[in-house]
Amino acid sequence: MTRRPQQPTTRRTTVLRREAVVAAVPVAVAALLVGAGPAAAGTVGSAGAGDPYFPLSGNGGYDVHHYGLAIGYDPQSRHLDGKAVITARATQRLTRFDLDLEGLKVTGITVDHAKASFRRDGQELVVTPRDALCKGQEFRVTVTYSGTPKPVTDPDGSLDGWIPTDDGAFVASEPQGAMTWFPANSHPTDKASYDFTLTVPKGRTAVANGVLLGQKTAHGRTTFRWRQSEPMAAYLATATVGKFDVEQYTTADGIKVYNAVDPREAAAAAPVLKKLPSVLAWESKIFGPYPFRAAGSIVDRAPQVGYALETQTRPVYDSAPDLSTLVHENAHQWFGDSVTLTRWKDIWLNEGFATYAEWLYAEQHGGKSAQKTFNSLYASPASSDLWAFPPGDPGSGAHIFDTPVYARGAMTLHKLRTAVGDRVFFHILRSWATHHRDGHGTTAQFIRFAEHASGKDLTTLFHTWLDTSGKPSAP
Ligand code: TRP
Ligand code: ZN
């Protein structure tokens, strides 16, 4: 409820846009039906992962293990050259499968070194390998592509994906922007490891996720090699490009930190970034060991974006963050990044938890208690945006970043805390993150987990706070 509530208002824009979204729905549903038709039951991978909020995100029939992305970008012409090498396993016999890719020109595809045929259909890149893939078969798809990447406009009006800036690009892909810059199975259910080879003009820096393996300058261009070895959802990948000051160090816990800061934001960012090691140490104490080997920050100047994103190992900020935002995005490393949702409807598992981390940080660092934060929110009148819908059911992709998801999501956790007591509550937070590390978690699993840990029936509490419309009556 700190900085985020002001954003949806600025981001949710015109009626025009809403019409466009409505018009797009039948197409998406039709595509899903085609994917689920008789042919699909046989050998055609479906066009979506089955998420009603983003029906065409992700694809059926295979599971990606690794993305090898080689990307060259020229900020001046805004031209991108890409080659994606995707290693996957077929989960069914496949005569055909889809990748998600929006815009850009595909110049060639091979599957296991044999030329494959393909066609484009909106965000679906439909691939027909020369030889059908057997169920269980490992295969490798190579896609070469190029063009001028354009961000997508989300149903809430915000930009998402490859967003050009005055000196490069701000790359933040939640929920569906990964397809604007690489072909992917772009749904959080399919996590994979990544290697990035990013080439930009000398003097620019290209920052991705994970550990920097090396950088080399030749013929006026610099190539940065990054490795994200822990599994990552496509929406958490970044390849942000700009003129950055770079700082690198290793924390006492052995985490490799890489901070890239737009010099115009450096003075404002410095006092906050200085706290990163202590924020990570504090979060590790509360949530359990930091889940990745790398950490850091990308502080860009991208005023057209209006939000920060918890890109894995290294959040991106559209301007110098305040401390609370730093705490929020890094809390997502546990909640969202390491433990990932399986459908966008469960977004409160990300935003409610990261927001509650802000409350806890304040409480334990001389600020307001979480109870006080809860109380002042609870005092909001029934007509307030806070009570517009229950956080367990945002209703559509247009509302996943609205106030109830963040604030009432955090209030739900506070209600859990007061019901089970601090000892059990902090045990739940920590063991949830540990149990589901590098994996997924659902709302139903979290409720069962909390009930099991506390020995209490929490059905009413969660039903009231997550699923019931309007302001809950007794706080
Ligand atoms: N998940 C981000 C955060 O709260 C916010 C975010 C990502 C967002 N993409 C967005 C908010 C699009 C609004 C619109 O840390
Ligand atoms: Zn968040």
Side-chain angles (χ1 to χ4, degrees):
M1 181 66 194
T2 46
R3 74 222 105 85
R4 264 157 285 271
Q6 83 246 5
Q7 292 167 352
T9 1
T10 44
R11 246 183 270 99
R12 200 163 323 109
T13 47
T14 59
V15 174
L16 218 153
R17 186 160 284 143
R18 224 164 270 159
E19 282 163 4
V21 170
V22 170
V25 168
V27 179
V29 171
L32 254 192
L33 291 176
V34 171
T43 64
V44 174
S46 66
D51 192 317
Y53 285 15
F54 297 95
L56 291 178
S57 287
N59 305 282
Y62 64 94
D63 178 27
V64 177
H65 294 173
H66 184 77
Y67 293 90
L69 304 177
I71 290 172
Y73 188 64
D74 177 23
Q76 214 185 336
S77 63
R78 297 190 173 179
H79 184 84
L80 181 151
D81 275 304
K83 178 176 165 185
V85 180
I86 302 168
T87 314
R89 182 189 297 274
T91 55
Q92 64 173 75
R93 182 176 158 79
L94 285 175
T95 53
R96 201 181 90 191
F97 62 88
D98 285 11
L99 290 160
D100 298 307
L101 186 68
E102 177 68 39
L104 301 166
K105 183 178 164 57
V106 174
T107 48
I109 301 186
T110 63
V111 176
D112 290 337
H113 304 294
K115 201 165 161 347
S117 60
F118 62 90
R119 66 183 164 81
R120 308 293 299 272
D121 180 9
Q123 75 177 70
E124 300 303 308
L125 171 57
V126 182
V127 182
T128 305
R130 189 188 63 190
D131 305 315
L133 301 162
C134 307
K135 179 173 179 178
Q137 187 181 332
E138 283 262 8
F139 62 102
R140 175 195 279 216
V141 189
T142 302
V143 181
T144 49
Y145 59 102
S146 64
T148 305
K150 290 193 183 58
V152 288
T153 301
D154 287 328
D156 66 0
S158 59
L159 292 178
D160 174 13
W162 192 279
I163 307 169
T165 56
D166 59 4
D167 61 356
F170 181 94
V171 184
S173 297
E174 186 185 28
Q176 50 172 352
M179 63 181 176
T180 69
W181 59 284
F182 67 98
N185 192 25
S186 190
H187 190 270
T189 41
D190 193 358
K191 294 168 75 164
S193 55
Y194 286 69
D195 275 295
F196 301 85
T197 305
L198 307 175
T199 302
V200 290
K202 185 181 163 188
R204 309 292 158 112
T205 301
V207 193
N209 313 85
V211 173
L212 179 64
L213 298 181
Q215 76 185 65
K216 207 161 79 188
T217 301
H219 312 297
R221 308 213 299 166
T222 306
T223 298
F224 296 82
R225 289 188 304 120
W226 294 93
R227 172 164 295 165
Q228 171 57 51
S229 27
E230 301 91 356
M232 176 167 78
Y235 83 87
L236 296 168
T238 189
T240 294
V241 178
K243 290 181 188 160
F244 293 126
D245 296 338
V246 170
E247 171 193 31
Q248 284 180 269
Y249 57 87
T250 303
T251 69
D253 290 336
I255 303 161
K256 292 191 168 232
V257 175
Y258 185 102
N259 289 328
V261 180
D262 187 311
R264 296 166 293 183
E265 297 292 329
V272 177
L273 293 195
K274 214 172 63 201
K275 299 211 159 155
L276 180 61
S278 70
V279 166
L280 292 176
W282 175 80
E283 291 183 335
S284 303
K285 194 180 75 198
I286 310 276
F287 306 143
Y290 182 73
F292 307 119
R293 68 195 71 188
S297 330
I298 306 169
V299 181
D300 206 344
R301 177 173 283 191
Q304 69 276 42
V305 175
Y307 62 85
L309 180 64
E310 62 269 22
T311 38
Q312 189 155 306
T313 70
R314 190 166 296 114
V316 278
Y317 305 93
D318 65 340
S319 61
D322 58 19
L323 181 55
S324 187
T325 304
L326 189 90
V327 168
H328 179 106
E329 304 308 341
N330 283 290
H332 275 306
Q333 302 305 313
W334 285 261
F335 305 110
D337 294 13
S338 174
V339 184
T340 303
L341 47 73
T342 60
R343 48 173 195 174
W344 287 105
K345 189 183 182 201
D346 286 343
I347 184 71
W348 84 279
L349 289 175
N350 291 14
E351 303 307 345
F353 282 59
T355 302
Y356 201 66
E358 297 176 57
W359 299 11
L360 287 173
Y361 188 87
E363 174 173 289
Q364 297 189 17
H365 293 82
K368 257 199 203 178
S369 70
Q371 185 63 51
K372 272 217 161 115
T373 307
F374 178 97
N375 292 346
S376 51
L377 282 168
Y378 190 76
S380 315
S383 60
S384 157
D385 278 356
L386 172 61
W387 314 114
F389 59 84
D393 191 9
S396 82
H399 300 294
I400 56 176
F401 301 119
D402 286 3
T403 306
V405 171
Y406 289 80
R408 186 167 159 183
M411 293 175 87
T412 304
L413 287 176
H414 190 72
K415 291 305 292 183
L416 173 64
R417 178 180 174 187
T418 51
V420 303
D422 275 12
R423 196 186 55 80
V424 175
F425 176 72
F426 286 105
H427 167 76
I428 290 170
L429 283 188
R430 194 186 169 89
S431 50
W432 173 251
T434 309
H435 264 77
H436 294 267
R437 180 172 174 158
D438 290 338
H440 296 93
T442 67
T443 297
Q445 285 171 336
F446 182 71
I447 294 171
R448 258 186 279 125
F449 197 87
E451 290 187 327
H452 182 80
S454 63
K456 286 196 151 82
D457 179 353
L458 300 167
T459 324
T460 307
L461 185 154
F462 282 111
H463 184 255
T464 303
W465 281 88
L466 285 182
D467 299 326
T468 307
S469 300
K471 180 175 175 173
S473 49

